[in-house]
Amino acid sequence: MSVETMQLECPLPIVDYPNVVLAHGGGGRLSRTLVEKIFLGAYPNDVLAALHDGAVLDVHGGRVAFSTDSYVIDPPFFPGGDIGSLAVHGTINDLAMCGARPLALSAGFILEEGFPMADLWRIALSMRNAAAAASTPIVTGDTKVVDRGKGDGIFINTTGVGIVPAGIELAPRRARPGDAVLVSGSIATHGIAIMSIREGLEFETALATDSAALHGMVAALLDAIGTDVHVLRDPTRGGVASALCEIADSARVGIRIDEAAIPVLDEVRGACEILGFDPLYVANEGKLIAFVAADRAEQALDALRAHPLGRDAARIGTVTDEHPGHVLQRSRIGGLRAIEMLSGEQLPRIC
């Protein structure tokens, strides 16, 4: 089939936006539309259609998780981290959300002519240290340089592979009525830490990113309750709100969350109020959401809280067979509020 014939049979699936906008990369509704209409339309297959953090493939009697992510965060250095450690943590976490134990990473660099060599060395060392701490070596990579003015300093892509233990089946569609919804700690810290230095905005706080590799905490959770973990998701772009909406839609279940139960640091809450942000929609890089069987929820919380990255874990909601595909939040004063996916771009280039 010629390219011309394919184009006639497959008309452009997005007509309301003739050009890509920043919000198409924000993790909210426009990102979802872009993925579903452009990429799922172009590459239809059951593995991709699961819209998980990574693909789980059957390989010679075992299962391998495979995930890739690109990092364009601005600025590349921020309180508590940098684009290099973030790129290592992010892809390890995507593998961990599939239940996989990571084996190795690749790293691809797109550098703009003029990017300081000292900064590149600093980022390379940060990646080395993050990978070593996670016992996940960087084993292959690629480097490209673009003309001055045709990039933005540095972009990094990392791809990872890992092994999924036998019996572990984690996927957004596995959320079921009655499941408890857990979060591993205080939300929205990463996004507000970035905003604390971006474009000259500063707050009277020492907030640092929560970026961290979560595979060790996931292994502890799976060791504790095994197959009673149904879904894991790291709520990065679009925050907890968009992640929950995606899961509710994938599993065709309703989700109810309790605002008072959701942990948010006081300084993060204060900064959100000043900036007009809702913490539910702000990005995280070192937190996870877990959907677990209700009768194992306390055991799951104990396992999370026993890990240094999960000591503030909390149960924030429940899955219901009511209002399938939708998320409702009970407010601190007792009202119900519909939670929607992020419709625009709250914080661009946050990861």
Side-chain angles (χ1 to χ4, degrees), residues 202-213:
E202 295 183 358
F203 307 105
E204 295 181 358
T205 174
L207 270 181
T209 177
D210 60 358
S211 178

Side-chain angles (χ1 to χ4, degrees), residues 87-257:
V88 170
H89 295 156
T91 294
I92 287 176
N93 291 345
D94 286 341
L95 294 171
M97 296 307 109
C98 299
R101 296 177 179 175
L103 290 178
L105 300 174
S106 73
F109 296 84
I110 298 176
L111 306 172
E112 181 184 5
E113 183 183 22
F115 188 73
M117 195 64 75
D119 286 351
L120 180 59
W121 180 234
R122 181 178 168 191
I123 289 168
L125 293 180
S126 175
M127 293 183 75
R128 179 192 68 180
N129 294 338
S135 300
T136 309
I138 297 170
V139 296
T140 187
D142 179 57
T143 304
K144 297 290 189 298
V145 178
V146 298
D147 296 340
R148 191 185 299 269
K150 294 187 176 180
D152 195 6
I154 180 170
F155 299 143
I156 299 176
N157 172 273
T158 47
T159 297
V161 293
I163 298 295
V164 182
I168 297 301
E169 295 282 353
L170 302 178
R173 64 178 181 277
R174 293 200 67 228
R176 60 190 64 170
D179 278 356
V181 182
L182 315 180
V183 66
S184 63
S186 300
I187 67 169
T189 304
H190 174 74
I192 296 303
I194 302 304
M195 285 304 297
S196 71
I197 58 168
R198 182 180 286 180
E199 296 175 357
L201 284 175
E202 295 183 358
F203 307 105
E204 295 181 358
T205 174
L207 270 181
T209 177
D210 60 358
S211 178
L214 300 176
H215 60 304
M217 184 167 62
V218 169
L221 177 63
L222 294 175
D223 286 345
I225 67 169
T227 57
D228 284 324
V229 182
H230 299 153
V231 185
L232 293 177
R233 175 59 63 89
D234 57 336
T236 55
R237 295 172 302 162
V240 170
S242 293
L244 292 178
C245 289
E246 288 179 2
I247 294 167
D249 183 59
S250 294
R252 299 313 298 168
V253 296
I255 298 173
R256 288 195 176 217
I257 57 175

Side-chain angles (χ1 to χ4, degrees), residues 32 43 86 110 292 337:
R32 179 87 173 194
Y43 321 131
L86 185 70
I110 298 176
V292 305
R337 164 197 175 202

